[in-house]
Amino acid sequence: MSDKKFKHRARKRFGQNFLTDPTILEKIIKAIAPDSVDKIIEIGPGQGALTELILGSDVELHAIEIDRDLAAYLREKNADKTNFHLHENDVLKVDFNSLLSDTQPARIIGNLPYNISTPLIFHLLKYLPGIKDMLFMLQLEVVERMAALPNSKSYGRLSIMVQYFCRVEKLFNVPPSAFSPAPKVESAIVKLTPHDLAPDELATPDDLTNLLRQAFAHRRKTLRNNLSSLISADELESLNINPGLRPENLSLDDYVRICKHLQ
Ligand code: SAM
């Protein structure tokens, strides 16, 4: 299969919007700054826009692609590259333990399919000891939710979970014109770096997930109402938390304090 003959029709169900703007591609590669000692896992390599640039720096690259035609194309195109490993699979079904090791934490990157980006981030949070950092292209609105601070509309479960585990840095915006076909929404690049130590270590972070699900079940209701099955108003007050507040008014530390109280 020669490069010139490969014509792929973008598949909507796989969230395929391919990066075509060379300036943006260069900016992303600069932000990743691949080093020959790195092990990089790329999610959704597509037609290889980022892949080719990364392979140029001699890193060990594992790419996970669900689309059979794109996987076949990339496999053939890079057949002579010993540092390229293609995994034809649904990334949500990948057991990252088979790719990661605590001794050489990997870097995860990708222009992510927007339809699975939130479940994918939650999936990856389970594997953090083996991850050095993550750099993703996401819908701008999702990046804003990840980086949001209390008392804002974007602040919620995603902000608190991601900030509990990682430092969140929004790097730059990417316009729809950088892709083919152009998506309907604005995008942005975000870097997530796992904390050496979580803000205040919890016995099991799963409890935080459950607490947040309950706390944010009804954004307009007070904590007294949303959390009534888990903790009383008196107990909240004893933790220095006003039960009359709404879920978006509490900081990450407040939620960790409630979680520890319940464990
Ligand atoms: N990296 C390429 C680029 O920047 O041009 C393609 C990005 S495109 C937004 C998303 C890619 O993820 C597509 O190649 C798509 O086939 C792939 N993809 C979608 N769902 C996937 C899944 N569940 N597992 C693995 N890859 C997936």
Side-chain angles (χ1 to χ4, degrees):
M1 195 183 321
S2 97
D3 209 17
K4 273 185 196 143
K5 279 189 209 140
F6 184 70
K7 284 253 185 303
H8 179 78
R9 264 189 80 182
R11 294 188 165 111
K12 232 180 175 169
R13 70 177 186 284
F14 292 149
Q16 292 178 353
N17 299 97
F18 301 107
L19 265 169
T20 49
D21 183 328
T23 316
I24 296 289
L25 281 163
E26 202 181 303
K27 241 175 132 174
I28 297 174
I29 295 297
K30 223 171 164 183
I32 300 171
D35 187 302
S36 56
V37 298
D38 283 341
K39 174 175 174 178
I40 295 188
I41 300 173
E42 183 183 7
I43 299 169
Q47 302 184 101
L50 288 166
T51 323
E52 303 306 316
L53 297 172
I54 291 169
L55 279 173
S57 52
D58 272 353
V59 297
E60 184 189 345
L61 179 62
H62 290 260
I64 305 168
E65 176 57 64
I66 198 171
D67 186 309
R68 204 194 299 164
D69 297 336
L70 292 174
Y73 166 70
L74 287 174
R75 208 179 280 120
E76 185 168 331
K77 189 170 181 202
N78 297 300
D80 58 336
K81 304 212 172 73
T82 51
N83 57 334
F84 181 68
H85 313 275
L86 188 91
H87 307 265
E88 187 183 323
N89 206 342
D90 176 347
V91 67
L92 291 175
K93 294 191 180 139
V94 170
D95 175 4
F96 275 81
N97 285 324
S98 62
L99 292 174
L100 299 172
S101 80
D102 292 5
T103 47
Q104 194 204 1
R107 310 186 64 198
I108 306 196
I109 64 138
N111 168 15
L112 297 186
Y114 295 164
N115 49 346
I116 61 159
S117 57
T118 311
L120 176 59
I121 304 281
F122 279 111
H123 184 61
L124 290 171
L125 293 179
K126 293 186 216 139
Y127 297 99
L128 291 185
I131 298 176
K132 187 174 167 199
D133 57 23
M134 300 180 262
L135 192 132
F136 295 131
M137 169 96 75
L138 292 166
Q139 215 172 310
L140 173 62
E141 182 244 317
V142 176
V143 173
E144 283 171 349
R145 278 166 49 209
M146 282 183 180
L149 296 175
N151 304 312
S152 66
K153 235 170 103 186
S154 307
Y155 182 72
R157 272 181 64 207
L158 184 65
S159 340
I160 299 165
M161 282 306 285
V162 173
Q163 290 171 31
Y164 176 70
F165 289 106
C166 301
R167 179 154 56 92
V168 180
E169 291 167 272
K170 180 186 156 205
L171 299 187
F172 52 90
N173 287 8
V174 180
S177 59
F179 305 83
S180 173
K184 289 197 177 71
V185 293
E186 191 74 20
S187 305
I189 299 287
V190 68
K191 182 173 180 182
L192 307 175
T193 312
H195 298 301
D196 284 340
L197 279 178
D200 191 357
E201 207 82 46
L202 288 171
T204 71
D206 281 353
D207 292 341
L208 185 60
T209 314
N210 295 334
L211 171 65
L212 295 173
R213 195 169 291 130
Q214 195 99 348
F216 282 90
H218 307 281
R219 283 186 81 97
R220 288 155 155 266
K221 287 195 181 170
T222 61
L223 291 165
R224 178 190 284 111
N225 278 309
N226 282 339
L227 295 180
S228 62
S229 64
L230 287 179
I231 187 167
S232 70
D234 285 349
E235 282 174 287
L236 283 171
E237 270 172 9
S238 75
L239 295 170
N240 269 333
I241 292 165
N242 175 353
L245 291 176
R246 297 219 167 111
E248 72 262 28
N249 304 129
L250 264 58
S251 67
L252 166 60
D253 285 348
D254 292 331
Y255 280 110
V256 170
R257 221 160 55 248
I258 302 177
C259 209
K260 285 193 141 181
H261 175 81
L262 294 173
Q263 276 177 345

